[in-house]
Amino acid sequence: MNMADSELVLSLLNEEGYTITENITDADVILVNTCGVREHAEQRIYGRLGKFKSIKNKNPDVVVGVLGCMAERLRSNLTTEKAKGVGQIVDLIVGPDEYRKLPDLVHKAWHGEKGIAVQLSRIETYNDISPLRTNGISAWISVMRGCDKFCSFCVVPFTRGRERSRPLVSIIQEVESLAKRGFKEITLLGQNVNSYQDRNNKFDHLLSAVASVDRTMRIRFTTSHPQDISDELIETIAEHKNICKYIHLPIQSASDRILELMNRNYDSKHYRYLIDKIRTAMPNVSISTDFIVGFPTEADEDHKKTLELIEEIRFDGAFMFQYSARENTPAYKMGDDVSNETKTRRINEIIDLQNRISAQINHSNIGKVVEVLVEGRSKKSASEWQGRNEGNKMVIFQKGEFKIGDYINLKINQTNSATLFGTIEQNKTKEVTLC
Ligand code: SAM
Ligand code: SF4
């Protein structure tokens, strides 16, 4: 979501004549887009701002701005000494609903005026702004912003505001324009993308309309909330060949007592029921999830339920976090009573188990042929490409004569818990699929 927002910001500034530099010491304006979901993310931003200090010492005219969720939460101390000495180097603080003001605020900052804009909006969706996309193959499209779920541990409803959706028509126009420009993959984004609603159009309507624009484009979406997984949505994903059979469906915990304290509005039985329904409709679907360990009062018995559910469901992958107490959330008042030592032990148990399962699932792909979109150079070798299969798994392979943006078929011959390795099976770019 932040990367998509950064593309919006780039677009707004590009219209005023700003361009991107790869070298930070050449920059006249340095903007950091921040996340406040966990304390660790905030600490990293303080570290980063500390590094900008030496740049500002050498070039006092450089404008430094903090954007995003953290700007919203920490506006009072980011401009002061309290923020570990970095406050005085920050010229701008701009929250996620105020990016339209950025060009003006940057202009004023050139003239020595510090600026703060952190008002949240009930209507801002940046609907009319075309993000400046630097990658010509995969595009993110934010279809809704904010969140109304108010999970007890989460700052998002406070930092990104109330839920609002973009009009369906404007999203379709954007997809049509991306198809004409040769984009091969669209990812629809939202904190709870499946609670999208534009008048009578729900997320399944949007997904179906987006998938119908160009059948050679892959369609992905993230993040889905278990509460908003409807039968119609499952049918829509199953029905359209170009909607990737991959669902990221955060559960957080398998203890019903903890889920209730988290205010997640479902229990583990309902979550299991959803997974069954999804797998019945799409037997080859890939499913990933999020877990939080060490939520207030979590006991070994609660943790054991999560381990049992992981064994039972066998997720393809998971994002696993230690609970981070966030000020002003309801969970903050419950106290952070699980020790760091226990949190570390529990997260390691979850990571070990999930890695073992991911490795087994990936190993079962050996000998299979998968379709991959070539996305770029592999991180380890200049002679290899990387790309993802439909199930969002990274596949590495020799470059051959293929180029970024090609769809190719690869036979998987080696795997580990995170990656598949393949060889070219058939020299083929994607054909039009009608369904
Ligand atoms: N809206 C999605 C949902 O609820 O299913 C998730 C969006 S949230 C920004 C991404 C993930 O961050 C959550 O699923 C949760 O696992 C994690 N998270 C949020 N608040 C957290 C906290 N206070 N401590 C640790 N992890 C947290
Ligand atoms: Fe945060 Fe997701 Fe809960 Fe919204 S639904 S409050 S984004 S965890």
Side-chain angles (χ1 to χ4, degrees):
M1 186 67 90
N2 269 9
M3 288 169 85
D5 274 6
S6 293
E7 292 180 340
L8 277 176
V9 167
L10 286 175
S11 168
L12 285 162
L13 291 174
N14 190 249
E15 279 189 12
E16 301 294 312
Y18 293 89
T19 54
I20 308 169
T21 172
E22 296 294 320
N23 187 350
I24 198 163
T25 52
D26 292 341
D28 300 306
V29 181
I30 303 174
L31 302 172
V32 248
N33 200 355
T34 61
C35 168
V37 168
R38 285 171 295 278
E39 197 192 344
H40 178 63
E42 290 190 351
Q43 292 309 331
R44 281 177 51 195
I45 294 299
Y46 281 126
R48 187 71 69 85
L49 289 173
K51 288 191 185 138
F52 296 162
K53 209 170 177 177
S54 62
I55 297 174
K56 188 116 177 163
N57 284 343
K58 281 190 203 128
N59 175 11
D61 289 337
V62 72
V63 169
V64 174
V66 175
L67 315 182
C69 304
M70 195 176 160
E72 190 77 55
R73 269 173 46 75
L74 301 183
R75 62 188 166 202
S76 56
N77 56 356
L78 261 181
T79 42
T80 67
E81 285 294 322
K82 269 195 269 170
K84 304 187 180 167
V86 296
Q88 77 269 43
I89 67 151
V90 176
D91 302 294
L92 299 174
I93 295 182
V94 185
D97 288 345
E98 296 264 46
Y99 295 146
R100 286 178 199 273
K101 291 187 180 156
L102 248 175
D104 185 44
L105 290 171
V106 172
H107 182 75
K108 287 183 175 147
W110 289 121
H111 298 93
E113 202 180 311
K114 290 206 179 213
I116 298 188
V118 290
Q119 202 70 26
L120 288 173
S121 160
R122 281 183 175 258
I123 51 168
E124 180 63 272
T125 58
Y126 300 108
N127 190 28
D128 54 324
I129 297 172
S130 177
L132 187 76
R133 297 186 167 97
T134 49
N135 144 337
I137 303 298
S138 300
W140 293 292
I141 302 185
S142 284
V143 299
M144 52 87 68
R145 297 180 72 87
C147 179
D148 281 353
K149 294 275 192 285
F150 289 93
C151 300
S152 63
F153 52 82
C154 186
V155 288
V156 169
F158 309 104
T159 57
R160 299 190 72 97
R162 305 307 296 266
E163 204 171 286
R164 64 222 104 113
S165 296
R166 264 181 75 175
L168 184 139
V169 173
S170 81
I171 298 168
I172 297 305
Q173 282 166 354
E174 190 169 351
V175 177
E176 284 168 350
S177 145
L178 291 167
K180 281 196 194 117
R181 288 166 54 197
F183 278 80
K184 298 288 169 65
E185 185 180 70
I186 300 286
T187 304
L188 304 180
L189 293 178
Q191 296 298 337
N192 289 300
V193 75
N194 55 335
S195 66
Y196 174 88
Q197 178 123 32
D198 170 33
R199 286 165 293 173
N200 290 332
N201 294 310
K202 296 197 167 198
F203 188 58
D204 55 297
H205 300 118
L206 174 69
L207 206 48
S208 171
V210 167
S212 306
V213 170
D214 178 346
R215 295 293 183 189
T216 67
M217 267 180 150
R218 265 183 180 176
I219 312 301
R220 298 185 183 276
F221 54 94
T222 199
T223 292
S224 305
H225 191 290
Q227 203 187 334
D228 300 313
I229 294 278
S230 65
D231 289 352
E232 293 79 8
L233 178 55
I234 297 174
E235 276 163 32
T236 304
I237 304 166
E239 198 165 275
H240 291 263
K241 278 199 179 153
N242 59 329
I243 299 180
C244 290
K245 307 295 174 272
Y246 165 64
I247 303 185
H248 181 64
L249 195 62
I251 180 168
Q252 315 299 355
S253 166
S255 156
D256 292 340
R257 187 181 72 80
I258 295 292
L259 285 172
E260 195 168 348
L261 287 175
M262 287 178 164
N263 193 31
R264 288 291 290 182
N265 290 320
Y266 55 83
D267 59 16
S268 57
K269 188 171 166 209
H270 182 68
Y271 189 88
R272 286 179 165 94
Y273 167 73
L274 287 177
I275 298 289
D276 267 359
K277 250 206 296 202
I278 293 168
R279 284 185 169 155
T280 304
M282 295 170 274
N284 292 324
V285 69
S286 291
I287 300 175
S288 59
T289 195
D290 290 349
F291 292 108
I292 296 179
V293 303
F295 185 82
T297 77
E298 186 191 64
D300 275 339
E301 184 189 325
D302 301 301
H303 172 63
K304 201 166 149 246
K305 288 184 179 151
T306 302
L307 291 170
E308 283 166 3
L309 179 127
I310 297 174
E311 285 272 17
E312 178 193 327
I313 291 193
R314 295 178 66 79
F315 295 101
D316 289 84
F319 295 97
M320 298 160 272
F321 308 107
Q322 294 190 32
Y323 169 70
S324 169
R326 308 311 287 133
E327 247 175 287
N328 302 326
T329 58
Y332 190 78
K333 297 184 193 84
M334 297 176 200
D336 191 3
D337 61 354
V338 178
S339 69
N340 283 338
E341 198 189 348
T342 305
K343 282 182 187 168
T344 307
R345 173 178 57 78
R346 288 184 189 157
I347 198 142
N348 285 340
E349 285 174 9
I350 285 190
I351 291 172
D352 287 349
L353 175 57
Q354 182 55 50
N355 282 351
R356 179 164 58 75
I357 291 170
S358 295
Q360 287 166 355
I361 294 176
N362 288 351
H363 186 77
S364 70
N365 278 289
I366 288 184
K368 288 189 184 157
V369 176
V370 296
E371 189 184 60
V372 169
L373 172 62
V374 183
E375 292 177 17
R377 218 200 89 166
S378 118
K379 290 197 180 78
K380 292 205 176 129
S381 160
S383 65
E384 290 172 329
W385 286 135
Q386 65 177 33
R388 278 166 303 149
N389 72 357
E390 186 181 6
N392 209 35
K393 290 193 175 138
M394 196 53 88
V395 189
I396 309 288
F397 50 97
Q398 284 297 319
K399 280 183 172 172
E401 80 256 32
F402 295 101
K403 57 182 190 314
I404 293 175
D406 283 346
Y407 280 100
I408 57 173
N409 284 333
L410 294 170
K411 188 167 192 172
I412 302 305
N413 51 24
Q414 201 192 324
T415 61
N416 60 34
S417 64
T419 314
L420 311 180
F421 300 84
T423 49
I424 309 290
E425 171 68 5
Q426 192 190 334
N427 184 337
K428 157 181 178 284
T429 46
K430 197 175 175 84
E431 288 161 0
V432 176
T433 338
L434 293 172
C435 47

